[in-house]
């Protein structure tokens, strides 16, 4: 059974990584607004909204680094462990057939387990 302190540690692991990636995504909006000001945009957002959002995300990154540095480092290490899987699954183009079958089978299992694929209806 998880205790309250264990839950707090798990939340810290996740929140630092999530806040970092969200801040990078919203920061990209600010960068593109600066780099390409005349570009047509599908959604128009006032500039103060992404700025405030980035400031809040920066706060959510800085405070845990000060309060719980060990948990922050562990969350970053957990995230970094995904890099080899990214290279094997996405970057490596000439994978052996057995690895491709394993990846496809794992994908189908996860889709069925988490009900994340839409069933095609036959007419």
């Amino acid at each position: 059974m998880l205790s309250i302190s264990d839950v707090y540690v798990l939340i810290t692991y996740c929140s630092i990584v999530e806040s970092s990636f969200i801040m990078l995504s919203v920061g990209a909006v600010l960068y593109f607004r600066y780099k390409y000001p005349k570009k047509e945009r599908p959604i128009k957002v006032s500039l103060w909204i992404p700025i405030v959002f980035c400031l809040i995300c920066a706060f959510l990154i800085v405070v845990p680094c000060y309060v719980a540095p060990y948990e922050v480092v562990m969350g970053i290490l957990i995230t970094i462990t995904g890099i080899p899987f990214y290279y094997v699954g996405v970057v490596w183009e000439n994978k052996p057939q057995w690895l491709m079958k394993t990846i496809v089978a794992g994908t189908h299992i996860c889709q069925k387990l988490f009900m994340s694929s839409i069933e095609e209806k036959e007419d």
Side-chain angles (χ1 to χ4, degrees):
M1 188 91 187
L2 288 174
S3 68
I4 296 297
S5 63
D6 292 335
V7 172
Y8 172 75
V9 169
L10 290 173
I11 290 171
T12 305
Y13 285 171
C14 296
S15 67
I16 187 73
V17 173
E18 180 184 15
S19 296
S20 300
F21 284 114
I22 290 173
M23 187 174 83
L24 287 172
S25 300
V26 175
V29 170
L30 292 172
Y31 173 76
F32 287 133
R33 287 278 299 264
Y34 171 76
K35 190 75 174 171
Y36 308 106
K38 303 290 184 200
K39 193 117 177 152
E40 181 66 29
R41 295 181 183 6
I43 300 173
K44 307 239 189 236
V45 176
S46 182
L47 196 56
W48 67 271
I49 294 173
I51 291 172
V52 170
F53 198 86
C54 280
L55 290 173
I56 292 170
C57 286
F59 176 78
L60 292 174
I61 293 169
V62 171
V63 170
C65 289
Y66 177 74
V67 174
Y70 175 77
E71 287 83 2
V72 168
V73 170
M74 293 306 293
I76 292 170
L77 287 175
I78 290 169
T79 304
I80 289 173
T81 59
I83 292 172
F85 293 99
Y86 171 76
Y87 277 102
V88 168
V90 177
V91 176
W92 186 16
E93 292 181 6
N94 300 323
K95 296 181 216 30
Q97 192 65 29
W98 66 268
L99 183 59
M100 283 300 297
K101 287 181 181 179
T102 305
I103 291 172
V104 168
T107 301
H108 289 162
I109 289 170
C110 288
Q111 287 174 339
K112 290 175 184 176
L113 183 65
F114 300 115
M115 293 185 278
S116 61
S117 64
I118 299 172
E119 295 180 21
E120 295 181 12
K121 295 181 181 180
E122 295 182 20
D123 291 332

